Structures are given as structure tokens and as C-alpha cells.
Amino acid sequence: MSELREMIERVAQPGRLVWIGLRPGRRGAIRMVDAVEIGADGLAGDHGRAGKRAVTPFQDEHLAAVGSFLGRAPLDPALLRRNLVVAGINLSAFRGRCLRIGTVELCVTGVCAPCSRMEEALGPGGYAALRGHGGWCAEVRHPGRIALGDPVQAA
């Protein structure tokens, strides 16, 4: 394996799962939970999409950055309508790769770009503030159960 490849695959430390949110309906309120089953189609009780967008992880450290771009404190993750918030590990490093959270294995398929609804949720400039910080889309490779505090690491 090349030195560059080794560096790309190496992470400094495992992360941890710090927030789980379920979206029971398309524009319904987010329900925070401590644990959830994840099947092939995504989180149990969530209206999400099957396949490459089954799960939408978000980087905890970006909540402060996006809040700063808006002149505010770190954002409440429920405003962003993503499923999972992960801290302590760079999710960008997993694009095209798989990660494990609890007993679940997810493959990060690509960027979860912000939608126009972010202007409604965050106010003027919300869409622009999230560009490059909108989170990720992932498909479920191995279903299972996740809970707050679970480690997040390379699969």
C-alpha cells in the first residue's frame, strides 16, 4: 500500500455518536432518541430514503462553524434535519468508505447538500452557511442498533 493511501485511511482517534434524530414525517418535528435500530432502509421510525441516502450523518464540530457564519451560537442539530451527529472524527475522510457505529456499518456515498428549506429553518443566509457543511449521505451495509455514546470508527 502506498504511503499516501495509508495516510488517507488512517484516523487519529475514534469518534462518538452524540445525537440521534428521527423525522417521522416529511415536514414533521424531529424526535430525539437515545438509541435506534437501523435496517437496510435507514432508521426505524424515520421517513428517510432507502439506498444511498438512507442515513444522513453530520459533523458535530460543524454546528459551531455554521452558527458562526450566521452570527449565532452553535446550532441545534434538529434544525438541520439530519439523522446522526458524530463528534471527534472527520466524516469527510470517509467519503467513499465505510464506518462503524455500534453494530451498524454505513458506507458514506456523498455530500448531503443543503436544501432551500434551510433559509426557512435558519433565516436569511442559512443555505449559504451550510454549503460545504451540510453533512453526508450513507447507505446501510450492515443493519443493527446504535446508541448515544457509541464509538465511530473505520469499518
Side-chain angles (χ1 to χ4, degrees), residues 127-139:
Y127 178 88
L130 266 174
R131 291 191 66 198
H133 298 279
W136 298 93
C137 296
E139 62 186 335

Side-chain angles (χ1 to χ4, degrees), residues 11-71:
V11 295
Q13 65 180 359
R16 70 187 181 292
L17 182 62
V18 298
W19 188 87
I20 304 169
L22 302 178
R23 304 161 298 177
R26 186 171 183 278
R27 291 180 66 85
I30 299 285
R31 185 169 60 94
M32 294 178 291
V33 297
D34 293 335
V36 68
E37 293 289 329
I38 296 184
D41 293 342
L43 284 71
D46 187 74
H47 87 286
R49 303 175 182 172
K52 294 180 179 185
R53 293 183 54 114
V55 180
T56 53
F58 188 86
Q59 188 76 50
D60 181 63
E61 292 80 0
H62 290 199
L63 294 170
V66 175
S68 175
F69 299 151
L70 295 167

Side-chain angles (χ1 to χ4, degrees), residues 2-144:
S2 75
E3 186 177 337
L4 177 59
R5 184 77 162 158
E6 287 177 26
M7 286 189 294
I8 289 170
E9 291 185 3
R10 189 170 36 237
V11 295
Q13 65 180 359
R16 70 187 181 292
L17 182 62
V18 298
W19 188 87
I20 304 169
L22 302 178
R23 304 161 298 177
R26 186 171 183 278
R27 291 180 66 85
I30 299 285
R31 185 169 60 94
M32 294 178 291
V33 297
D34 293 335
V36 68
E37 293 289 329
I38 296 184
D41 293 342
L43 284 71
D46 187 74
H47 87 286
R49 303 175 182 172
K52 294 180 179 185
R53 293 183 54 114
V55 180
T56 53
F58 188 86
Q59 188 76 50
D60 181 63
E61 292 80 0
H62 290 199
L63 294 170
V66 175
S68 175
F69 299 151
L70 295 167
R72 297 166 40 178
L75 297 181
D76 175 351
L79 292 171
L80 305 178
R81 308 194 62 75
R82 305 298 187 248
N83 298 123
L84 308 177
V85 176
V86 169
I89 195 167
N90 185 358
L91 288 174
S92 297
F94 289 94
R95 184 177 188 160
R97 296 177 54 205
C98 296
L99 57 90
R100 183 174 309 284
I101 304 174
T103 63
V104 173
E105 189 172 318
L106 302 174
C107 294
V108 178
T109 57
V111 172
C112 189
C115 67
S116 61
R117 183 153 184 229
M118 290 300 99
E119 290 284 310
E120 178 185 324
L122 303 175
Y127 178 88
L130 266 174
R131 291 191 66 198
H133 298 279
W136 298 93
C137 296
E139 62 186 335
V140 179
R141 186 175 207 183
H142 294 293

